[in-house]
Amino acid sequence: MKKEYLITEKPWKALLLFALPMIIGNLFQQFYTMVDSIVVGRFVSENALAAVGASYALTTVFISVAIGGGVGASVITSRYFGARGYEKMKLSIRTALTVFLVLSLVLGGGGLLFGKQIMIALRTPADVLGDATVYLKIYFLGLPFLFMYNILSAMFNALGRSEIPLYLLIFSSLFNIVLDIFFVKQLAMGVAGVAWATLIAQGISAVFSFLILLREMKGYEVEGKLALFDKEEFFSMARVALPSILQQSTISIGMMLVQSVVNSFGAQVLAGFSAGMRVESICIVPMAAMGNVMSAYAAQNIGAGRLDRVKRGYHTGYGIVAAFAVLLCLILELIYRPLILLFLGEEASAAAYHTGAGYLQFIGWFFVLIGMKMITDGLLRGAGDMAMFTVANMVNLGIRVFASMIFAPKFGVEVVWIVVPIGWAANYVISLLEYRTGKWMGIHRNREEES
């Protein structure tokens, strides 16, 4: 079957066929927040950019929960798909959608109640706190749409249909750009305008995704009526999804905690840091996508009993992420200035510009580390080998947070990005050592025997 190319095509071809639509789609997804920042930075003020940037660290944590949960849940779905167990596949999809809808409502409610208090705890500068809180409240209203869209995208990826999320992201991103400009430039809604534009665009995309999934599921006929929630499937997903959420959230949680350090340097430095972070978030898209691809690839091939293909695909992944890393480094070193000024404008303060430019000039040399980390983590996640996977990501988080908090106040904001590749490297080494033990090859088989 064409949809089973992850277990039939040559590893390099299977990985790229799956990865390229996901990379393009994730780039468009990043454009949501990127366009928000550009529009408020160019058409409102530098402080407005700082306000959206102050919110970004917290909102990214919730995005990471949605993406991590989707990736974790899709591992189980991918295994059933690879083994052609379509009844359990459909039951796992139903369970994932139900669980994450409830979770998004709970988290969204909590965010509406305590968002301002969290921003105060993160030492958000007083002159941007009001706008940051407005942006957050609207964002939390749309959290169910964000969660459902990301879970649905993960399910499409598990079925080998990564082109569907791509088409929807292109549509919603372009629609978001139009709404951003209309609400901010024409209606003068400021920070609230970009927040409402994102909510509306993501909401429409989530509804379309759900309708398309219903149509796709009609192609996999099963006997009897399936429940919306299954306890056994929930616990199977939780074993993979919870560590996956932690892994996907590691960068975001660390960024949120580190944000409190950056915030203490004032609104101008925060604006520059926010611009740099936006560019970095675009740059790591191919690496994160390759990690997610490796999860689906490993899960489907393990389900099909093809461990040899898992190993070959993993080694192929190194070449792919290395190529991306070289290209990204060249781009940043050559055009870091216009990239930063795209957000800040030509009238940017010296502190904002030097912060953003310094960040990009340094971090561009180290993307190969996060690429190797992501594909190794992705394989372990796809195989269900979650113990050391979790330890590796916690070490990464700990290094970045504690080093920033201890040394940045003494030696300057530059410490915040100097420790980033150190955390990536530590994460990679731990995950690589776990991969080389070979334990991941027997975990799925052991669980099948237990059940």
Side-chain angles (χ1 to χ4, degrees):
M1 293 174 63
K2 185 179 178 181
K3 296 177 184 178
E4 295 178 345
Y5 62 86
L6 285 179
I7 55 179
T8 57
E9 294 285 356
K10 293 180 180 179
W12 68 267
K13 186 176 182 181
L15 291 171
L16 287 177
L17 280 173
F18 195 54
L20 290 178
M22 187 182 294
I23 290 170
I24 296 171
N26 287 348
L27 286 173
F28 274 96
Q29 189 171 46
Q30 288 292 336
F31 287 159
Y32 277 118
T33 53
M34 183 176 175
V35 171
D36 287 353
S37 297
I38 292 173
V39 169
V40 297
R42 299 297 292 266
F43 299 130
V44 184
S45 67
E46 194 171 278
N47 271 10
L49 172 60
V52 174
S55 309
Y56 177 65
L58 180 59
T59 58
T60 304
V61 173
F62 290 94
I63 293 173
S64 296
V65 172
I67 294 174
V71 170
S74 69
V75 166
I76 304 300
T77 303
S78 291
R79 287 181 190 162
Y80 291 143
F81 181 76
R84 300 186 182 181
Y86 298 134
E87 182 175 342
K88 286 193 172 184
M89 179 191 79
K90 295 180 77 170
L91 190 58
S92 70
I93 293 173
R94 285 168 167 254
T95 300
L97 290 174
T98 301
V99 169
F100 284 100
L101 175 60
V102 174
L103 180 61
S104 68
L105 292 172
V106 172
L107 292 177
L112 285 170
L113 290 174
F114 303 110
K116 183 176 181 179
Q117 287 76 7
I118 295 173
M119 297 308 296
I120 293 173
L122 292 175
R123 294 188 286 184
T124 302
D127 49 351
V128 302
L129 179 61
D131 278 343
T133 302
V134 168
Y135 184 88
L136 273 179
K137 285 186 176 181
I138 299 170
Y139 173 87
F140 283 122
L141 284 174
L143 199 64
F145 293 129
L146 171 72
F147 265 64
M148 296 313 294
Y149 173 76
N150 280 282
I151 300 302
L152 288 163
S153 294
M155 295 300 107
F156 285 125
N157 291 335
L159 301 175
R161 299 300 306 275
S162 56
E163 76 279 4
I164 293 175
L166 168 61
Y167 299 148
L168 289 169
L169 272 171
I170 291 173
F171 161 75
S172 58
S173 297
L174 294 176
F175 189 41
N176 184 56
I177 292 172
V178 173
L179 291 178
D180 269 341
I181 295 173
F182 177 70
F183 287 160
V184 174
K185 201 171 180 182
Q186 300 298 321
L187 301 184
M189 293 174 64
V191 170
V194 297
W196 279 114
T198 299
L199 186 154
I200 293 169
Q202 287 183 339
I204 293 173
S205 187
V207 172
F208 283 167
S209 295
F210 182 69
L211 294 175
I212 294 171
L213 182 70
L214 290 179
R215 188 190 65 185
E216 285 287 313
M217 287 298 98
K218 291 180 180 178
Y220 302 97
E221 295 184 2
V222 299
E223 295 182 2
K225 189 175 181 180
L226 299 177
L228 287 176
F229 175 84
D230 182 83
K231 185 169 66 173
E232 183 179 338
E233 292 303 322
F234 169 71
F235 285 115
S236 294
M237 287 182 184
R239 280 197 296 263
V240 180
L242 290 177
S244 178
I245 289 171
L246 177 63
Q247 187 267 341
Q248 292 284 342
S249 303
T250 294
I251 295 174
S252 303
I253 294 173
M255 186 168 57
M256 184 181 72
L257 296 174
V258 169
Q259 184 87 59
S260 65
V261 178
V262 178
N263 289 347
S264 67
F265 287 89
Q268 291 181 342
V269 171
L270 174 57
F273 180 74
S274 299
M277 284 297 303
R278 287 293 194 275
V279 177
E280 186 204 4
S281 68
I282 293 289
C283 292
I284 65 174
V285 160
M287 309 310 185
M290 282 303 301
N292 293 339
V293 167
M294 191 60 63
S295 288
Y297 176 86
Q300 283 198 22
N301 281 282
I302 288 172
R306 297 294 307 277
L307 294 177
D308 58 315
R309 280 181 56 83
V310 177
K311 292 180 182 180
R312 295 207 312 273
Y314 174 64
H315 294 137
T316 300
Y318 273 96
I320 296 174
V321 297
F324 279 127
V326 171
L327 178 62
L328 290 168
C329 182
L330 287 173
I331 291 172
L332 287 189
E333 294 305 315
L334 290 174
I335 61 170
Y336 67 87
R337 175 180 172 81
L339 287 175
I340 289 298
L341 293 181
L342 177 66
F343 293 88
L344 299 174
E346 293 293 338
E347 303 300 319
S349 64
Y353 171 75
H354 288 303
T355 299
Y359 188 3
L360 294 186
Q361 283 183 287
F362 176 81
I363 205 68
W365 294 96
F366 301 99
F367 287 131
V368 69
L369 286 175
I370 193 171
M372 295 188 300
K373 157 193 144 44
M374 287 290 190
I375 62 169
T376 308
D377 284 351
L379 187 149
L380 297 178
R381 180 174 59 232
D385 188 357
M386 309 306 293
M388 290 306 296
F389 166 97
T390 305
V391 170
N393 282 276
M394 289 302 295
V395 169
N396 178 13
L397 175 61
I399 289 173
R400 296 180 62 178
V401 171
F402 291 114
S404 296
M405 289 184 169
I406 293 171
F407 297 112
K410 296 180 181 179
F411 300 106
V413 72
E414 294 82 3
V415 173
V416 170
W417 52 84
I418 289 173
V419 298
V420 170
I422 298 174
W424 290 345
N427 189 154
Y428 169 63
V429 169
I430 295 170
S431 295
L432 177 64
L433 291 174
E434 178 65 9
Y435 166 78
R436 297 187 68 176
T437 66
K439 294 177 184 176
W440 58 272
M441 290 186 283
I443 288 178
H444 177 58
R445 183 170 57 251
N446 292 338
R447 284 184 180 157
E448 281 189 331
E449 291 172 355
E450 290 174 5
S451 61

